[in-house]
């Protein structure tokens, strides 16, 4: 984005005379961590932040279309490439000990020149609720990392197959049954990422990224 233009987002309360401290604290807790992350090419940038007189944050303008809306404009290799970049951006955030736990397909934006950008801090200012990308229940062994693998896998499933993974009820349909262009290799990767048992998922987001990269290499040969 162009640092000369920015969106400035402020804490908003219906009655500013009686703002509860807890609400302000919650806003700060949601926004604050994003102001400490180094810039990443695949995350909406944060330009400035203050809590005086009320919390505000200045961010890169993000009036970009979502990947899910524009997926048909891209080849299978390009779509998987965007997923790989999303994995890298999520890993970048995780390095700071932050759990990007509101990630949904609408979080993935396409900026000019086909540049993927995650909404990042904007997802925490205005989250999109969608249970289809929540890991199933409180299952033993679920870690922050395995939940992120699930979210990215579920988003990848919808992006590549055209349907959310839970669209068919309890049993997950092979992505290739919805999109015949997909290979068995892609089926395996996506189903492993969204396995109900966290122990059966990829150990880390980077393992998921590496497997997706191998598939792209095969497609491009």
């Amino acid at each position: 984005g162009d640092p000369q233009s920015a969106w400035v987002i402020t804490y908003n309360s219906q009655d500013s005379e009686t703002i509860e401290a807890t609400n302000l604290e919650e806003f700060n807790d949601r926004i604050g961590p994003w102001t400490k992350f180094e810039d990443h090419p695949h995350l909406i940038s944060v330009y400035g932040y203050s809590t005086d007189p009320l919390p505000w944050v200045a961010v890169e303008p993000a009036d970009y279309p979502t990947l899910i809306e524009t997926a048909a404009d891209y080849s299978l290799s390009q779509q998987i490439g965007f997923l790989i970049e999303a994995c890298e951006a999520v890993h970048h955030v995780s390095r700071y000990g932050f759990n990007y736990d509101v990630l949904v397909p609408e979080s993935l934006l396409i900026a000019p020149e086909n540049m993927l950008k995650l909404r990042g801090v904007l997802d925490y200012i205005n989250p999109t609720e969608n249970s289809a990308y929540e890991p199933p229940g409180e299952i033993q062994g679920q870690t922050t990392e395995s939940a992120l693998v699930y979210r990215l896998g579920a988003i990848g499933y919808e992006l590549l197959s055209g349907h959310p993974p839970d669209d068919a009820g309890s049993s997950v349909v092979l992505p290739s049954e919805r999109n015949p262009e997909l290979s068995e290799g892609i089926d395996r990767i996506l189903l492993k990422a969204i396995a109900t048992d966290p122990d059966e998922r990829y150990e880390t987001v980077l393992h998921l990224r590496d497997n997706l990269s191998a598939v792209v290499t095969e497609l491009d040969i």
Side-chain angles (χ1 to χ4, degrees):
D2 176 6
Q4 302 308 311
S5 62
W7 286 355
V8 178
I9 299 158
T10 56
Y11 177 82
N12 185 22
S13 172
Q14 302 265 318
D15 180 1
S16 57
E17 297 301 311
T18 57
I19 296 172
E20 291 184 24
T22 50
N23 290 344
L24 276 173
E25 283 168 21
E26 184 186 353
F27 185 87
N28 280 326
D29 288 346
R30 294 169 80 83
I31 309 310
W34 292 92
T35 66
K36 300 177 176 67
F37 304 159
E38 283 183 35
D39 267 357
H40 188 277
H42 301 300
L43 280 173
I44 293 296
S45 297
V46 176
Y47 297 144
Y49 169 72
S50 177
T51 56
D52 186 27
L54 285 175
W56 61 266
V57 62
V59 302
E60 170 185 352
D63 43 0
Y64 305 131
T66 67
L67 173 57
I68 212 84
E69 288 170 333
T70 56
D73 297 341
Y74 300 102
S75 69
L76 181 57
S77 285
Q78 286 174 307
Q79 291 178 31
I80 296 173
F82 289 137
L83 282 176
I84 290 166
E85 291 167 350
C87 288
E88 290 173 350
V90 168
H91 172 68
H92 176 76
V93 171
S94 296
R95 286 174 49 226
Y96 292 87
F98 187 84
N99 176 19
Y100 197 155
D101 60 355
V102 297
L103 195 68
V104 292
E106 291 76 15
S107 304
L108 280 64
L109 306 176
I110 301 296
E113 299 183 25
N114 295 335
M115 171 69 85
L116 179 92
K117 297 264 186 179
L118 296 190
R119 279 170 48 85
V121 68
L122 294 174
D123 272 337
Y124 283 81
I125 293 169
N126 185 21
T128 304
E129 299 297 330
N130 200 320
S131 61
Y133 312 96
E134 289 281 348
E138 289 298 316
I139 297 171
Q140 189 126 16
Q142 185 106 290
T143 62
T144 295
E145 189 75 14
S146 67
L148 288 170
V149 167
Y150 183 94
R151 286 180 179 280
L152 285 160
I155 290 167
Y157 184 106
E158 176 163 353
L159 174 66
L160 301 180
S161 78
H163 296 263
D166 68 351
D167 207 26
S170 55
S171 59
V172 178
V173 176
L174 287 176
S176 60
E177 288 183 26
R178 300 187 184 280
N179 177 2
E181 195 184 348
L182 304 181
S183 67
E184 282 183 29
I186 295 171
D187 279 348
R188 276 196 302 274
I189 291 169
L190 294 176
L191 294 187
K192 183 175 173 69
I194 62 171
T196 301
D197 182 347
D199 292 338
E200 292 178 10
R201 294 178 205 150
Y202 291 101
E203 195 176 333
T204 69
V205 165
L206 294 185
H207 284 87
L208 172 58
R209 177 203 65 184
D210 291 347
N211 277 261
L212 290 169
S213 297
V215 167
V216 169
T217 303
E218 288 169 18
L219 286 170
D220 290 341
I221 287 172

